[in-house]
Amino acid sequence: MVGLARSDDDMLVLGDQAAAKFSVLCFRDGVLTAVESVNVPADHMAARKLLAAGTGITRDQAETEGFTLKAAASTPLVPVVA
């Protein structure tokens, strides 16, 4: 787990739950706040990088076909300014 998930977060599952290889992305106010990964270490490492940098991955971005946390973490990171 990376970040602090809450029960009222908006959650999105990426990956294959049947194969027990997936990540649950948790969004609060439309922005990624936590990731819980099961058997996907690349997602865990990418989520650490994204959340530490303060990037504002949105649910809309995560729902884009072909989106991966690894690819998102490989692009230039732009912190969210509140």
Side-chain angles (χ1 to χ4, degrees), residues 1 6 18 23 26 35 42 46 48-49 53-54 57 61 64 67 72 78:
M1 180 188 330
R6 296 188 330 203
S23 293
C26 304
V35 176
R48 287 179 58 168
K49 182 177 179 182
I57 300 296
Q61 289 171 312
T64 302
F67 174 86
V78 179

Side-chain angles (χ1 to χ4, degrees), residues 26-78:
C26 304
F27 298 90
R28 197 167 309 131
D29 297 324
V31 178
L32 184 67
T33 56
V35 176
E36 298 179 359
S37 297
V38 177
N39 297 319
V40 192
D43 279 2
H44 175 78
M45 296 306 294
R48 287 179 58 168
K49 182 177 179 182
L50 290 165
L51 291 175
T55 58
I57 300 296
T58 66
R59 183 179 177 108
D60 287 342
Q61 289 171 312
E63 289 179 321
T64 302
E65 188 169 339
F67 174 86
T68 66
L69 288 167
K70 186 175 178 180
S74 298
T75 60
L77 302 175
V78 179

